[in-house]
Amino acid sequence: MSEQNDVIGELRETGVIDGIRWAYGSAVARTMDLYSEEDGHGAATLGTLKFTHFQDRLDRVFSCGRYDVGEGEADANLDVLYANLSDRDIASMPRLDPYLVKRSDLNGSPGWVFGSYRFLLASAIYGKVDQIPWPQKSLIKQKVAQQRDPEPPPTLFDVLNPEEVGGLQELEDPNELDLRTFVIGHSLDPVSQQTELVFGRSRIAAKGESSWRWSEDILALPPMGGGQRIDDAPSSGGPDAEADAPVRLRRAASEKKRAEGEK
């Protein structure tokens, strides 16, 4: 299987993709609640609001940062977790194991780690998420885009034994990142409120070429379903407090372990 199939398959199966999709949807909704051209807001304000809320929602759904439950119960401090979320956001938030993803910034760039994968965030102009100019981004984003191709085309090195190839690769990439690092590319049109959200391996590309070795459209993937916080979701009394279809709760892995230990 290709790296794309392996990575996306694992992220979907464990619920990480559902968490990312929820986080971005919630971040966009909150951003548009606050953004107002009539108040003089422009592209800079829009970008700051979206980035701040996206980062915050990822921390919430993955129990990172100020939302880390530590050694406590998975549902501890729900008042903090649900603060400023709409009823819809609360009801649709995936219920994930709080130890599934951890926060791991990279040279000041907000990042999250799942297993041996790290992912960062990168904004784009709406409609241009496939052509993000990495050389114009931060130094760490440039370094991520320069990672070794995991599926390179055949070369003369293929006739060498693995030990020789490994040694040459180390010489070529002395500053290789400690983890395979991917990027979540996102965009928003404030007028139509249309969005783009992709997960992929970035690359430095020639003009007109895709800025990704591969990318997956997260919004086009069907949700895995289950695990939403429905029964324990308080009502905020907001304008979008409407009934949702009943969903069976899936207990977090940490809860299952406790239950098995009590048998």
Side-chain angles (χ1 to χ4, degrees), residues 107-156:
N107 288 15
S109 183
W112 294 261
V113 167
F114 165 76
S116 61
Y117 310 145
R118 178 191 284 115
F119 52 90
L120 310 178
L121 307 179
S123 63
I125 298 172
Y126 180 75
K128 300 292 185 180
V129 76
D130 190 52
Q131 295 182 330
I132 298 177
W134 301 116
Q136 298 176 25
K137 296 290 186 179
S138 66
L139 290 177
I140 193 59
K141 296 290 175 51
Q142 295 177 41
K143 185 173 181 178
V144 169
Q146 293 170 342
Q147 288 179 105
R148 185 187 307 134
D149 186 350
E151 300 168 334
T155 68
L156 293 176

Side-chain angles (χ1 to χ4, degrees), residues 60-185:
R60 293 194 199 220
V61 74
F62 295 134
S63 302
C64 298
R66 65 191 296 259
Y67 306 105
D68 186 353
V69 299
E71 298 299 324
E73 295 294 324
D75 289 334
N77 300 321
L78 290 181
D79 56 335
V80 175
L81 180 66
Y82 293 151
N84 289 333
L85 295 184
S86 67
D87 285 349
R88 183 181 296 278
D89 285 343
I90 293 172
S92 61
M93 181 191 294
R95 185 186 182 104
L96 303 176
D97 186 333
Y99 308 105
L100 182 67
V101 175
K102 65 179 181 179
R103 185 69 183 264
S104 179
D105 296 353
L106 187 61
N107 288 15
S109 183
W112 294 261
V113 167
F114 165 76
S116 61
Y117 310 145
R118 178 191 284 115
F119 52 90
L120 310 178
L121 307 179
S123 63
I125 298 172
Y126 180 75
K128 300 292 185 180
V129 76
D130 190 52
Q131 295 182 330
I132 298 177
W134 301 116
Q136 298 176 25
K137 296 290 186 179
S138 66
L139 290 177
I140 193 59
K141 296 290 175 51
Q142 295 177 41
K143 185 173 181 178
V144 169
Q146 293 170 342
Q147 288 179 105
R148 185 187 307 134
D149 186 350
E151 300 168 334
T155 68
L156 293 176
F157 290 122
D158 293 338
V159 301
L160 300 177
N161 63 53
E163 290 76 13
E164 293 173 317
V165 173
L168 287 172
Q169 288 177 334
E170 289 181 3
L171 290 175
E172 293 172 353
D173 300 291
N175 298 314
E176 188 72 11
L177 297 172
D178 57 332
L179 295 172
R180 278 194 286 173
T181 302
F182 304 95
V183 179
I184 298 174

